[in-house]
Amino acid sequence: MASNPYDEMFRNIARLMERLLNDLPTGDPRVIGFTIIAGPGGMPEPFDIDDADGEETDVEVIEGEDCIYITAEVDTHASGKPYVTFQSDSVTLCTGSDEETVIELDCEIDASHSFYNVQNGVIDAVCQKSRHISATS
């Protein structure tokens, strides 16, 4: 039987997950969602926001070389649908409640190539950074 070329990658991911789970603090840890970024990236910058009920909602922002990744927990008790609106210098995030959160970004993004996905109680937004090409004469 031929070996799968991705076997080593899956073994590395399994080792990483095992290490992450072993390092979780005792008590009631929550994992909202995560992204594995292979390559240069920044440290996550967590935001605490209050939703309509006054409960804190965690939003995680990670800046990579080409993209900015935003992850948040969806309010499953809210009547509305979660959504993300992209502007050139900010992202408006709604996790399902009536309140929106505006996240100011340190760089410009290409709103037309940015997207989001809602799955398993987590909203993930990928903001494609703008690439300005300056014309030289």
Side-chain angles (χ1 to χ4, degrees):
M1 183 168 156
S3 67
N4 186 336
Y6 299 107
D7 283 346
E8 184 62 28
M9 180 181 66
F10 289 128
R11 278 193 288 275
N12 288 338
I13 291 173
R15 278 187 234 125
L16 174 66
M17 290 302 299
E18 183 178 341
R19 201 167 87 209
L20 285 171
L21 293 173
N22 286 335
D23 291 343
L24 285 176
T26 57
D28 188 22
R30 295 182 321 160
V31 176
I32 296 174
F34 66 91
T35 301
I36 299 174
I37 301 171
M43 291 298 293
E45 180 182 334
F47 289 87
D48 290 324
I49 56 176
D50 292 329
D51 64 11
D53 298 330
E55 295 182 18
E56 283 190 351
T57 302
D58 294 323
V59 176
E60 185 176 76
V61 178
I62 300 174
E63 185 170 349
E65 188 174 322
D66 298 325
C67 298
I68 297 173
Y69 304 94
I70 301 172
T71 302
E73 185 175 6
V74 173
D75 184 357
T76 56
H77 301 294
S79 59
K81 289 190 172 195
Y83 62 88
V84 176
T85 306
F86 301 98
Q87 295 83 28
S88 63
D89 60 349
S90 65
V91 173
T92 303
L93 176 71
C94 179
T95 59
S97 64
D98 292 335
E99 302 225 357
E100 294 180 334
T101 302
V102 177
I103 301 170
E104 299 294 330
L105 303 174
D106 292 335
C107 64
E108 269 192 36
I109 61 168
D110 184 354
S112 64
H113 289 97
S114 299
F115 60 93
Y116 72 96
N117 184 28
V118 179
Q119 188 173 5
N120 298 325
V122 175
I123 187 166
D124 286 311
V126 178
C127 309
Q128 187 71 38
K129 289 184 179 180
S130 289
R131 298 246 181 238
H132 293 292
I133 301 172
S134 59
T136 56
S137 315

